[in-house]
Amino acid sequence: MITEQTVVWVANRETPITNTTSSELTISDDGNLVLINQFKTVVWSTNVKGSMLNSTEAVILDSGNLVLRDKSKSSRVLWESFDHPAHTWLAGSKIGLNKTTGVNQRLISWKNENDPAPGLFSFELDPEDNEYVIYWNNSFQYWKSGKWNGQYFDSIPEMELYTHLNIFSYSFVDDKAGTYLTYWISGNWSITRIVMDISGQLKGLTWRKSTQIWGTSSVNPKAQCDVYNCCGPFGSCNSDFLDTCHCIKGFTEKNPVNWGLKDYSGGCVRSTALQCNQNGSRKGDEDRFYEMSNTVLPDNSRRIESSSGIKDCESACLNNCSCTAYSYSNGCSLWYGDLIDLKDGDGVGGETIYLRLAASELPNTKSEKIIVIVVVCIGVFLVICLAFVLSLILRRKWRLRKLRRVEGRMMAFTYRDLLYITNNFLVALGRGGFGSVYKGILPDSTVVAVKRLDGIFQGDKNFRAEVTTIVEGDIQCLLDVNFVDDANMEELERALKVALWCVQWEEDSRPSMGKVVQLLEGLTNPNSPDYD
């Protein structure tokens, strides 16, 4: 059972009705099956001639064939839809030439996915060669089946496989009555139909019971881009993309709604009009050319033998307002009017074509140079900034390594180091003699106190005075006034003596850290170091 509604035949493809509720499909007084619109006008009829008054009936057979037959004798078929195919070829029906009536049956695609009106593509028998062909616009042949070899057509070798697997059986007949091909579904194989698709390809579709959808079992021609002009004027085809058709540069979809329904026949139109007006004169900025590389060139070109080079070829096109593109490959080729059957190359056989566009569609070459210069300047500036930032980072790392303490060694600090340690002398701990004391943090997280002298010219003198004061025992003046009452003068004196001992200029005159610990813990009495 097919759960998806599938249209296989349409009676009035060229005369659609607008009011389905007031229309009627009925048997007329003369026995024909007719479709009447809301105005009681016959828009379609089986149009069988003869006297059949009150003796006919219309029946849809299990094969999908709609027949008009004699009520009293059902084997007498007066008309059948199989003789008038639309876009679908069902098993048991014939596609070919009726030599008696001269009618060459053919499949004609829909206009788009929602409109069953006759489209651009048709599949039929070429009676001269006995080959099936597909036409674009009933005029240009772009595919043929090849000759029948008794089992299959040369261009459809899969027919032999289907016969071997007992999926289908085929019969190609060529006699005095007609030339036609018929196929049947073998055994219990799923329902299959052959459709002249809106893509321009003849597709075999099989109903898949497991997924409840129509699956594609065969396609001819194999590649979508082998369909002639499948993307319309100024549209280009690329089989590698899900949406095979796209508008080339400077053009936009003529009818986006139809494109959404996979009807690309309208192609693309210019986004900006050319400088040449409709009368062939030129005005405004001169048109320019856009280079399209890796392109399969259209066929409808004209060769210019007098051209001596690509510049002459470009001038020849530019000087003719009807010229839309040129190419220079072993000579000059010009295209006039619409570009049709454009294809993106596969990287092997593609060539270069130069498309004529309005000047505004392309960037100005001077502007491009300015943009390049600006971009280069910005790049150089960014490199310089990056180098500067890296240098700052490296200098900081070098300074941090420099500030790391080494056990038993004297550390010398520059004023910049002290600025970094104290965060620009941010946190003041108090004020002592000859200067203020600030909190500092070494890179290893050690908290220190840093004294900053008040006068830059009195530094050495003040420092000596503090040393003298400590040596003479007048150390109370060094304390912050807030700590005088709580301070232990003996411990303070001991700490100051040890500190002075540790800052001797000569490294050999300084005590080891072990000695310092003993001194501070009172295990050894510190003596005042010699300090000049």
Side-chain angles (χ1 to χ4, degrees), residues 468-485:
T468 302
T469 300
I470 295 171
V471 173
E472 293 176 353
D474 187 13
I475 60 176
Q476 186 172 346
C477 65
L478 298 176
L479 281 173
D480 189 288
V481 294
N482 296 319
F483 301 105
V484 171
D485 296 336

Side-chain angles (χ1 to χ4, degrees), residues 16-24 36-41 43:
I17 55 178
T18 57
N19 190 330
T20 57
T21 59
S22 300
S23 302
E24 183 182 5
I36 301 173
N37 64 15
Q38 67 268 33
F39 304 110
K40 304 304 177 183
T41 302
V43 296

Side-chain angles (χ1 to χ4, degrees), residues 368-400:
E368 289 178 343
K369 292 180 180 178
I370 294 175
I371 291 173
V372 170
I373 294 173
V374 171
V375 170
V376 170
C377 292
I378 293 176
V380 172
F381 175 74
L382 291 176
V383 169
I384 294 174
C385 291
L386 180 61
F388 177 73
V389 172
L390 288 176
S391 67
L392 292 179
I393 294 174
L394 292 175
R395 288 180 63 185
R396 181 179 179 184
K397 288 184 177 180
W398 175 82
R399 186 183 302 163
L400 292 175

Side-chain angles (χ1 to χ4, degrees), residues 289 317 323-327 333-336 339 353-356:
F289 290 93
C317 185
C323 182
T324 52
Y326 76 91
S327 178
S333 298
L334 303 182
W335 282 265
Y336 298 90
L339 293 182
I353 186 172
Y354 297 88
L355 175 68
R356 185 176 194 156

Side-chain angles (χ1 to χ4, degrees), residues 8-11 13 81 84-88 106-110 196:
V8 297
W9 186 79
V10 179
R13 297 183 69 181
S81 62
H84 308 273
H87 76 307
T88 299
R106 56 178 182 162
L107 304 176
I108 302 177
S109 66
W110 283 25
M196 185 65 250

